[in-house]
Amino acid sequence: MINWLKTYKSRIKVYTVLVLLDACSVALSMLVSMWVKFDFTPANIHQSYVDEFFRTVWIWAPFYVIVFALMRLYNNFLSFASVDILLRVFASYAVISATMMVAYHLDFIDLAPSYYIITIVINFILTATIHFACRVLQRTFMNIQDSTAKALQ
């Protein structure tokens, strides 16, 4: 019973870190897309973009995490990084892109479409990197633990 509880607690910690990394990647991608859009000069960034960032980052970050959860990107964390996971990431971004297009056409978001396209591309790269790196690191640590356990026997 104690081993099960220990395993459960460690998985919750890993999932929490992964969710926080995904949420932070949304904010980071929005900031980087502003930086890219305005020729890598922070002084050129219009105040409307900064205001829009602070208005919408609190909506988009949880939305991304919810979409990732619905696409089961957090379910099989201990499985190998595979084509199936990459397809789930693509599907997640299809849903996110469609939602951004609808929000843009309903005037929920006010900025140029290029800002959102850059945000999606940067965030896709960050998400794929985070999810695949976490899976590879998890497997590496599990192999190290197994090797250590065998050596101690």
Side-chain angles (χ1 to χ4, degrees):
M1 182 72 175
I2 293 174
N3 283 342
W4 176 84
L5 186 60
K6 186 177 175 182
T7 303
Y8 179 75
K9 285 183 179 181
S10 69
R11 281 188 181 186
I12 291 297
K13 287 178 187 177
V14 170
Y15 293 144
T16 303
V17 168
L18 192 57
V19 166
L20 289 174
L21 284 173
D22 283 338
C24 289
S25 74
V26 173
L28 181 64
S29 66
M30 291 173 80
L31 289 172
V32 170
S33 65
M34 272 192 281
W35 190 53
V36 169
K37 181 157 177 53
F38 290 100
D39 300 326
F40 304 99
T41 309
N44 290 345
I45 298 174
H46 299 136
Q47 186 61 38
S48 62
Y49 279 79
V50 175
D51 293 341
E52 184 74 7
F53 168 77
F54 284 114
R55 186 178 74 85
T56 61
V57 72
W58 309 110
I59 298 167
W60 287 118
F63 177 74
Y64 275 67
V65 169
I66 290 168
V67 170
F68 295 158
L70 291 174
M71 293 294 178
R72 299 183 333 222
L73 286 177
Y74 302 125
N75 284 7
N76 297 326
F77 184 75
L78 298 177
S79 65
F80 285 107
S82 65
V83 174
D84 179 53
I85 294 166
L86 185 60
L87 292 175
R88 288 181 192 183
V89 172
F90 276 121
S92 299
Y93 278 92
V95 169
I96 290 166
S97 299
T99 304
M100 278 191 170
M101 286 183 356
V102 168
Y104 180 76
H105 287 294
L106 294 177
D107 291 331
F108 173 71
I109 49 182
D110 303 338
L111 304 178
S114 61
Y115 168 74
Y116 300 106
I117 292 168
I118 295 169
T119 297
I120 288 171
V121 169
I122 291 170
N123 203 324
F124 173 80
I125 293 167
L126 288 173
T127 301
T129 303
I130 288 168
H131 283 263
F132 282 94
C134 285
R135 282 178 168 78
V136 168
L137 287 174
Q138 183 73 14
R139 281 291 175 193
T140 302
F141 287 132
M142 288 175 62
N143 289 340
I144 290 170
Q145 287 176 348
D146 290 344
S147 301
T148 306
K150 286 179 184 176
L152 293 175
Q153 288 179 351

